[in-house]
Amino acid sequence: EDVAGLLDRAEVTQALEAIWERVRRLNAYVAETEPWQLAKDPERTEDLDRSLASLIEGVRVIAVLLAPYLPDAVAKLQAALGDDDISYAAASYGARRLKRVEKVAPLFPRAV
């Protein structure tokens, strides 16, 4: 709702900053949950599943929010997530339940 309101008022820079706040929070969540460590402990599979599911959902939401800015990259990411809904309603965390996630080539490959 925040991002949609900002975009509706043509506050493009502020909308992008609100999205990047979510990106930073998702990055912090990765550091906090350390899924690579959870994967090493067979007794923590539920924690790993929860962490990965939260991360995938966070990436999905961020993709929806970035669709107006990066339509081609978002389309590739959404194809890998098996979800092409870019409506604002889909931008709510938990609004969708993904059934599959496929490997995707780098969206922004490094220049050599």
Side-chain angles (χ1 to χ4, degrees), residues 2 4-12:
D2 296 339
L6 290 166
L7 288 174
D8 287 344
R9 293 188 304 275
E11 296 178 24
V12 178

Side-chain angles (χ1 to χ4, degrees), residues 11 22 44 47:
E11 296 178 24
R22 288 160 176 80
R44 309 247 357 238
D47 294 334

Side-chain angles (χ1 to χ4, degrees), residues 32-98:
E32 292 164 10
T33 61
E34 298 181 324
W36 59 92
Q37 294 295 348
L38 297 173
K40 294 177 183 178
D41 186 348
E43 294 181 16
R44 309 247 357 238
T45 55
E46 287 183 26
D47 294 334
L48 176 61
D49 289 347
R50 184 175 24 263
S51 174
L52 293 177
S54 294
L55 289 169
I56 291 167
E57 178 62 1
V59 167
R60 186 196 65 75
V61 169
I62 289 168
V64 171
L65 295 173
L66 286 174
Y69 299 92
L70 302 167
D72 293 338
V74 167
K76 291 175 188 175
L77 182 55
Q78 287 186 307
L81 296 174
D83 184 24
D84 62 356
D85 187 355
I86 59 169
S87 68
Y88 286 135
S92 295
Y93 186 88
R96 311 286 284 182
R97 185 141 185 102
L98 299 177

Side-chain angles (χ1 to χ4, degrees), residues 12 24 28 31 48 85 89 103-104 112:
V12 178
R24 287 189 289 273
L48 176 61
D85 187 355
K103 187 174 182 174
V104 65
V112 187

